[in-house]
Amino acid sequence: MSPLDKSIPNLGGDGEGSVQVHDTSKITGAKVFSVYGKGGIGKSTTSSNLSAAFSKLGRRVLQIGCDPKHDSTFTLTGTLVPTVIDILKEVDFHAEELRPEDFVFEGYNGVKCVEAGGPPAGTGCGGYVVGQTVKLLKQHHLLEETDVVIFDVLGDVVCGGFAAPLQHSDRALIVTANDFDSIYAMNRIIAAVQAKSANYKVRLAGCVANRSKDTDEVDRYCRTVGFNRIAHMPDLDAIRRSRLKKKTLFEMDADEDIVMVQKEYIKLAETLWNGTEPLAPASLPDREIFELLGFD
């Protein structure tokens, strides 16, 4: 039996045809955002720079990485921090033995960083790990002095680790690019979030066009389904260099490109903080999205 099975998660349906982990430990008092998108699209880059932008606005920020590879926060901390699962293993899964400093690490400009991690392959549910992470944060009263929580979510739409943050979130943000594969993934994510919104407060905030010179295809899709693009991060080498230097964009030398993207992240943070319209786009069937974007 896996150590995660010491406390069996409560499974049940929530949304059409889905069976996911239910977590009754809700986050209250903070604005909670979940960042989604296909694998490799730049969710962690977006999440970390958005966290930094919120901190620049004077907000107290907590970022939770929800991917087993635990690299969500390394540009904030400059290193790969231990995961909640790593730390729990060290105490034989006796959570009462943990201290906040064991699993919460301070990053750039005071951003608090947590990496949930994941169970060993084939042995447990990623959603359960996210739920246990939130419970630990609440048990140690770490959410009481937090203004913004950002979940950086793994890309697999069908995984419980994908769905779990939606149980806590006010808004879901999708990172995409101006290409077919990214928009196709966004279409599936929209359908998944819409299904969860039937039973949870989460609603879609909009999308960020990332690493894209143009936004014409993203905008065409958004017009078709009733969605909004709320930011555009161009394909700049400065962003790639910031990852290599293990830094957020706000720590880079302030050349023209860097300043431009910093301003775009500040604008995005302001937009999310001030509140976005609760969008309810109608995702397209596969054949229709192929016809919309797949042919000249």
Side-chain angles (χ1 to χ4, degrees), residues 91 123 128 133 143 151 160 175 224 232 261 269-270:
V91 296
T123 65
Y128 184 46
T133 298
L143 296 171
F151 285 99
V175 182
T224 302
H232 174 208
V261 183
E270 289 174 336

Side-chain angles (χ1 to χ4, degrees), residues 24 31 73 153 196 246 268 284:
T24 58
K31 296 189 178 185
T73 60
V153 190
K196 297 298 173 224
K246 305 180 182 67
L268 175 59
L284 298 177

Side-chain angles (χ1 to χ4, degrees), residues 1 19 28 30 53 62 70 80 106 109 120 124 225 240 267:
M1 176 178 288
V19 177
T28 58
L62 170 67
H70 67 100
L80 288 176
E106 186 166 322
N109 207 32
V225 302
R240 181 190 65 84
K267 179 182 175 183

